[in-house]
Amino acid sequence: MVTSIPLSSGTRMPQLGLGVYLVTDVAVCESSVKSALDSGYRLIDTAAIYRNERAVGRGIRSSGVPREEIFLTTKLWPSDYAYDKARAAIGGALERLDCGPLDLLLLHQPVGDVKGAWRAMEDAVDQGVVRAIGVSNFAVPDLERLLPAARIPPAVDQVELHPHWQQPDLLPFLAQHAIVPEAWYPLGHGSAKLLSEPAVVGAAASHGKSAVQVILRWHVQRGFVAIPKSTDPAHIAANIDVFDFELSPAEMAGIDALGKDRPMFRLPRWMMAATMPLARPRPLG
Ligand SMILES: NC(=O)c1ccc[n+]([C@@H]2O[C@H](COP(=O)([O-])OP(=O)(O)OC[C@H]3O[C@@H](n4cnc5c(N)ncnc54)[C@H](OP(=O)(O)O)[C@@H]3O)[C@@H](O)[C@H]2O)c1
């Protein structure tokens, strides 16, 4: 049974879900979402910029799983950040997904008119079309700028987070502000270096689990939400099979000790800004 975590919005979020970044083939995206829901997932993470919201919506609708059991997240890209553009973009996401109110809507990057977009997201909560709002890739200074202007505080910050990059500055700030850390690159993007760490491999052997499962279990026990991506039905099923064992305090400490001081991926702000006009989501499928 997948555990869930309370959000400051008053709702709860499953601690493990499916991410669909780079899954741009319509049929593959739809079948991956369906396969995840069949395997017991109840959290799906997409974004306008992934250009697969229509396929995600179709996967959800064809799964037979009641919509109210599913926690659906999408994200707004900075090209849609001014208030009016964000309002229109939220309408566009709702139309493409066609699954009713969103469970979580995130600002994808901390650039552009963040405060204008945030007001549009707060209004969407008031209107009942979005249940919780949050951010992605926001560092402490980005949150320090947003928080004083926010009528509704962010419930989640989705950031790169895995045993090799444990966000030493950000995590204490998130805890202080009741913002749930959600891990992108939870498996370090499938990093062979991470998956072959002795602390991970050792724990995997003692529990009869894979290295991937041990890392996902570490995320759960640290109180994070993790959204591993896979299009392989066997991987999808294996990745959620992490709720029948527990890492010991020593095993957790061994993995905690792998923390390094650098992320694997960093998109410079000038590049985020440069990609903004190019990145308007197009309909897919
Ligand atoms: N907010 C942001 O800016 C941002 C940025 C990046 C990502 N994300 C979100 O985070 C999600 C996950 O990130 P990610 O996809 O880049 O990295 P990831 O989940 O850390 O790693 C995905 C890689 O691991 C492989 N994998 C998954 N399960 C496996 C298993 N059981 N055994 C072996 N290999 C396995 C996948 O290959 P197979 O498909 O072959 O299984 C894929 O190559 C994205 O889909 C997206 O939703 C958000």
Side-chain angles (χ1 to χ4, degrees):
M1 170 79 177
V2 179
T3 50
S4 66
I5 201 158
L7 299 182
S8 58
S9 57
T11 52
R12 294 186 76 89
M13 181 171 191
Q15 276 191 273
L16 200 119
L18 181 76
V20 294
Y21 176 46
L22 299 179
V23 188
T24 49
D25 182 283
V26 180
V28 172
C29 183
E30 195 174 329
S31 70
S32 301
V33 167
K34 203 167 166 298
S35 163
L37 293 170
D38 285 348
S39 303
Y41 288 63
R42 291 296 181 266
L43 162 63
I44 308 291
D45 179 89
T46 183
I49 197 68
Y50 301 169
R51 296 173 180 175
N52 56 16
E53 287 169 314
R54 284 185 201 280
V56 166
R58 272 205 296 269
I60 289 175
R61 289 194 304 279
S62 65
S63 70
V65 175
R67 171 64 184 93
E68 60 274 16
E69 287 184 18
I70 301 169
F71 190 104
L72 177 59
T73 304
T74 194
K75 315 181 190 85
L76 299 183
W77 192 249
S79 49
D80 286 321
Y81 275 10
Y83 179 85
D84 288 339
K85 281 185 176 179
R87 278 183 68 93
I90 293 167
L94 290 166
E95 184 269 319
R96 289 189 294 276
L97 287 159
D98 193 15
C99 283
L102 290 167
D103 298 284
L104 179 64
L105 179 65
L106 305 179
L107 289 181
H108 207 144
Q109 303 287 354
V111 293
D113 184 2
V114 163
K115 289 179 187 167
W118 191 257
R119 275 194 298 118
M121 288 165 55
E122 290 174 326
D123 289 353
V125 172
D126 293 343
Q127 287 155 11
V129 295
V130 175
R131 297 201 171 95
I133 53 179
V135 294
S136 178
N137 299 303
F138 274 49
V140 170
D142 303 312
L143 287 164
E144 283 174 337
R145 273 190 293 275
L146 175 61
L147 282 169
R151 182 165 58 79
I152 301 176
V156 169
D157 192 1
Q158 186 184 110
V159 291
E160 181 181 341
L161 183 57
H162 47 74
H164 276 171
W165 176 234
Q166 296 179 31
Q167 297 275 4
D169 297 330
L170 182 65
L171 289 187
F173 186 91
L174 296 185
Q176 226 180 334
H177 291 86
I179 301 172
V180 169
E182 182 176 16
W184 62 256
Y185 271 20
L187 306 173
H189 203 52
S191 155
K193 208 164 162 213
L194 175 57
L195 295 175
S196 58
E197 284 285 2
V200 172
V201 174
S206 63
H207 291 282
K209 292 283 181 177
S210 70
V212 164
Q213 289 170 319
V214 163
I215 292 170
L216 293 173
R217 182 69 208 177
W218 172 86
H219 282 282
V220 169
Q221 288 183 219
R222 284 289 304 263
F224 307 149
V225 173
I227 42 168
K229 169 262 167 188
S230 182
T231 51
D232 176 331
H235 288 171
I236 290 173
N239 292 353
I240 200 175
D241 186 18
V242 299
F243 295 92
D244 60 349
F245 75 108
E246 193 161 330
L247 297 170
S248 69
E251 288 167 333
M252 287 297 290
I255 301 173
D256 289 346
L258 300 176
K260 296 191 171 65
D261 60 357
R262 286 169 68 85
M264 282 186 186
F265 180 86
R266 194 193 291 276
L267 187 62
R269 278 174 189 252
W270 68 263
M271 203 183 281
M272 277 181 218
T275 58
M276 277 195 248
L278 302 175
R280 288 210 141 268
R282 279 182 276 111
L284 181 112

